[in-house]
Amino acid sequence: MSLKTFPCRVLLHLLNRGVVASSKPLVARHAAAAARGRSPARSYYDTGKARHPGPGAAACARVVDLRSDTVTKPGPAMRKAMAEAEVGDDVMREDPTVNELQEIAADVFQMEDALFVPSGTMSNLIAVMVHCRERGDEMIVGDLSHVHIYEQGGSAQLAGVHATTVTTLPDGTFDLEQLESKIRHGYPDPHYPRSRLICVENTHNIQGGRVLPLTFLQEVRALADKYGLSVHMDGARVMNAAVAQGVPPSTILQHTHTVSVCLSKSLGAPVGTILAGSQDFISRARRCRKALGGGMRQAGILAAAGKLSLLEMVGRLTEDHHNAKTFAQALLDCDPPLFAVDMAAVETNILRFRLQEPSLSPSEFCARMGQVGEGEEAALGQGIQVLMYPHFGNSVRAVWHLGISPDDTQLAIQKMQFVASQYLKEKLRAQ
């Protein structure tokens, strides 16, 4: 008997007992854990302890996973390409698939060279190490940037590079006068570090997937050139920015010296990031990658997925952006108004919103969305679990990706409306 022929409730029972190896073990385990009132893992996006009131999850609930675009899984075409990939030793530069991916990336980004790296965090760290070659060098970053908040201070911890911050504005930019004021002068004065690098982030994660204006990038580059600094872009989602602005990525990247682009988010590859820049930069980056343990051997199996990401997955990002806007509008249409959303800020696949009821915290809302509430199956025809995270600044973050269809988005809207109505009923009964 195949797994598909098992009754749903029997199968879930076996999964929870570890008898059956599931094709979706993380989702099943998350649902089961939510039903028992705890999370299987604490995410770095989770800024509070979520509670899970109510009767728990239904056995056959539909799961809409909006936690991050990192949860995407390779489809059949990508898995086929991975299985058939021609490979070699990439540390010896003999993996033809990795070499081809790097050539494709350099061409797409209009950079001289590119390097395949295991992760975005490593890629950003390598960029800092190459641009800031002396211990005590300094980089200037936004105070809400991913490299500053979420990468464990690797620039200081591992590279000996000091970071000074400028205030991140709501659109992901920062004030250019403040930026200029942070540039150190008078090197080699023994009192201060030496300014070497400016980091920008596009799209901006914490600020809700905001796209940096081209004029801002142009002005940052002009300022960097004036003082002999380099500009690195944490472009984990720069392809989303390019699609949102209707320009090729090279139009954005002409204003930077280097860029780090994730293949494992909305582009759908299971692993990998591209670091791109000049030939000299990449030559030095290759050495840093090896020192950090990122020199992979027959990595063509992974690079094959990255090739499909760059060549075939970019065009579909508009669907993610549209779905995010659809959900955002539904939040605004909720009656009575329970959510605060700035529609002008919903530019790509990341949606950040707030709750206007002080008694309903982001953690509580996410908990309600992630479980099947009492009466839900009768009201909606099925149980729906929408997974999302409490986020920075007392908000909720939801991220759309290739695993979320327009139909899934409508299910998430139905669930949101049900949770809102149930909450308001409870509030009225308590008055």
Side-chain angles (χ1 to χ4, degrees), residues 120-156:
T121 296
M122 181 183 287
S123 184
N124 284 332
L125 177 58
I126 290 171
V128 172
M129 292 172 70
V130 176
H131 286 301
C132 304
R133 299 174 193 171
E134 297 181 19
R135 293 182 66 86
D137 279 351
E138 183 173 70
M139 64 178 184
I140 305 171
V141 300
D143 61 349
L144 297 183
S145 64
H146 193 282
V147 69
H148 184 62
I149 300 290
Y150 290 136
E151 296 181 11
Q152 207 183 107
S155 59

Side-chain angles (χ1 to χ4, degrees), residues 379-401:
L380 303 181
Q382 63 182 322
I384 303 170
Q385 293 176 271
V386 180
L387 310 182
M388 54 182 70
Y389 282 130
H391 194 50
F392 195 90
N394 202 39
S395 64
V396 175
R397 192 188 87 148
V399 186
W400 274 259
H401 49 83

